[in-house]
Amino acid sequence: MRTTSNQNFRPLRFFKDHKSMTSFLSILLTIAFMNLIVSCSYYNVKSVTTTPDTIANSIDSFAKSQKYAVIHSGMTIWHLSQLEVNEQQKTMSGIAKRLDVIHIPKKPRESKTTHRYNGKKEVLNEVHFYVTTKSTVNYGERITIPFSEINSISINDLNSGRTIINIVLGTIGVLAVLAIIVALTKSSCPFIYVNDGGEYIFTGELYPGVLTANQQRDDYLLLPKIDETNGTYCIKITNELKEIQYTDFVQLLEVNHPKNTKVLLDKNGNPHSYTDIISPIHVSLDNLKSDSAPALLKDNSSFMFDTKISGTSSTRYIELQFKKPPQADQGKLFLTAKNSLWLDYVFGKFNAQFGTYYNQFQKDQQKASKEKSTKWMNDQNIPLSVYLKTNNGWELVERINTVGPMAFRDLAVPIDLKGVKGEDLTIKLESGFMFWEIDYVGMDFTKDLPLHINYINPDEAVDGNNNIVTKLLSFEDQNYFVQPHIGDEVIVNFKIHEPQPELNRTFFLKNRGYYNYIRNYTDEPNFQNLKLFRKAGAFTDFSKFEYDALMDYESQFDLASQSN
């Protein structure tokens, strides 16, 4: 049978023109996506490169770290327990056992490089050996395998995702991603990519949540370390969504520091050194005891502010208890966090209620004062609020502005501890229902090292039409570089000096700007509902209501599918 392709078929246009299908996909994909982000994660099959000289050390390191060794011998798969290495005889050995149920893959591991797992992290501890040995395995007996019979070694490496889209592409499909973006009225901000010498790597979002010029603030984004080739640090800023982006300026910040030290900037751009980060000893969610494990590692296992509790409030909180050194009067909270995609979705649902009035509403908002906008966001519990427990009760330390849903950020929060007596230190993180995800939390009580920031302006900026726009991005002057269309991009180069061999250096991108959504709602405005959002806490109540309604729909959908 011959097939023909429609060269003019455009998926985005398709979903715009078929709104009933888009609405249906919106519900189904939201359910699928919620299940994906709440209960499932992904890992990559990653080859371990060895040579005859290094294979013994590699296997020995797996043994010392108590990796779960899986042996693939033809069609037989089994577990090699108590893994040992004999470097002189060039063999590895252990006790042959059947695979534990939790390590039995649902699909052949060799079928693809990215696999989904349901939150059971044991799969991330596996190391797989593919061997030529095809003899019968007697479980319970010691087995010796010569290095010469090992064809390849691979591990299961956590796939944190260069972007959330990378994950979805492998599970829902390209059209589903487009449907999510269109049907759920995806809202975000400029995406930034960093050139690592070979390709552009997605890093995060610029000036997240800033929807008007009056709300503009300096934003500081931690950038990845790259292998420098020609003294240039290169970034790309793109518009990939239905919005108009106004970037005032970008600036590269360089901090040199000792090699055993991490450096972060707080929201005011002040540098803080982290040399001894300690973990919480107790964690509770909404006054319920919880496993502290999600806070201990950067592993995409997050607290999601989604505790199922009864009560009138839709806000959720996490309390973390630390041991404080007796003389410490200053501390530095280290957070790895991001906004949830659920916040993005529910904010789109809120905007849709403006209907045909939305564009006028957005125009009016450009004139609203920063104080009024900030008060509304605070009243709706959109920021992540950090509280300190003192002798006088809970004291607000800081409200962390939105950072976007596409990538986790490392955040620094300096805390004055003079009001805390004794060795117990308790921090509370509070937000609206499912507005944030917290991946890692730690405290550092050491004094900040003297750190100097080197401010580097763009050396050259070239947009997608090969126009030189360096001046537009070099100064904080409200003379904006505008990206009005999906696909607009600009590449910005910064000249940097050779690194000092005895020091490490960390880069940040200072940025400032705002963006406006492009929306063409056709429904009538629901002013009666919109008036309710003037009340404090109404938006987080709306979030909880929408989530419960969606989960109830999923339950009904499951029952209907079972009855069929």
Side-chain angles (χ1 to χ4, degrees), residues 262-428:
K262 295 180 182 294
V263 171
L264 292 178
L265 304 184
D266 62 27
K267 72 174 187 179
N268 296 314
N270 301 312
H272 298 278
S273 59
Y274 290 81
T275 56
D276 186 19
I277 303 174
I278 65 172
S279 300
I281 56 176
H282 297 296
V283 177
S284 66
L285 307 181
D286 298 289
N287 210 30
L288 302 173
K289 286 189 176 180
S290 176
D291 180 11
S292 61
L296 304 181
L297 296 171
K298 292 185 179 183
D299 56 3
N300 277 9
S301 176
S302 305
F303 293 119
M304 301 196 56
F305 297 90
D306 61 347
T307 312
K308 296 176 176 60
I309 56 174
S310 58
T312 57
S313 175
S314 295
T315 56
R316 296 290 185 267
Y317 63 85
I318 306 169
E319 289 186 20
L320 306 111
Q321 185 179 347
F322 298 87
K323 279 296 179 185
K324 179 180 75 70
Q327 306 304 318
D329 58 5
Q330 292 287 326
K332 293 161 287 187
L333 188 66
F334 189 117
L335 286 174
T336 302
K338 71 180 184 71
N339 292 113
S340 67
L341 283 166
W342 176 256
L343 173 61
D344 194 273
Y345 167 71
V346 79
F347 195 68
K349 296 279 284 186
F350 164 68
N351 284 337
Q353 296 190 62
F354 286 92
T356 55
Y357 181 71
Y358 179 77
N359 291 328
Q360 182 60 47
F361 166 75
Q362 184 170 228
K363 186 181 296 185
D364 294 340
Q365 288 299 106
Q366 307 305 307
K367 304 173 184 177
S369 68
K370 183 175 183 178
E371 292 74 20
K372 182 179 178 180
S373 300
T374 301
K375 183 179 185 307
W376 185 84
M377 288 188 288
N378 291 344
D379 287 347
Q380 306 307 324
N381 302 291
I382 293 174
L384 180 64
S385 297
V386 181
Y387 292 89
L388 172 68
K389 194 171 187 178
T390 70
N391 298 333
N392 298 320
W394 291 108
E395 292 186 2
L396 178 66
V397 175
E398 184 170 299
R399 286 192 174 98
I400 300 175
N401 297 313
T402 52
V403 299
M406 303 304 286
F408 281 101
R409 281 199 187 193
D410 290 340
L411 305 167
V413 182
I415 302 177
D416 187 340
L417 303 177
K418 295 185 179 66
V420 179
K421 305 300 181 183
E423 296 184 358
D424 290 335
L425 170 69
T426 305
I427 299 293
K428 180 168 69 172

Side-chain angles (χ1 to χ4, degrees), residues 65-114:
S65 60
Q66 298 183 335
K67 286 282 189 180
Y68 187 89
V70 181
I71 309 299
H72 298 255
S73 176
M75 299 299 294
T76 307
I77 307 175
W78 45 279
H79 169 45
L80 188 65
S81 177
Q82 301 175 30
L83 179 62
E84 294 181 359
V85 177
N86 189 319
E87 189 170 0
Q88 289 184 343
Q89 296 183 9
K90 298 187 183 304
T91 63
M92 69 177 185
S93 62
I95 306 300
K97 292 186 176 182
R98 297 182 187 277
L99 284 182
D100 295 340
V101 174
I102 199 168
H103 291 283
I104 298 176
K106 294 182 178 180
K107 295 182 178 180
R109 185 170 181 269
E110 299 77 20
S111 62
K112 52 185 178 178
T113 58
T114 300

Side-chain angles (χ1 to χ4, degrees), residues 468-484:
I468 304 298
V469 294
T470 312
K471 289 185 178 180
L472 289 177
L473 291 170
S474 297
F475 305 100
E476 183 183 341
D477 56 5
Q478 297 188 19
N479 188 16
Y480 298 99
F481 171 68
V482 183
Q483 293 175 288

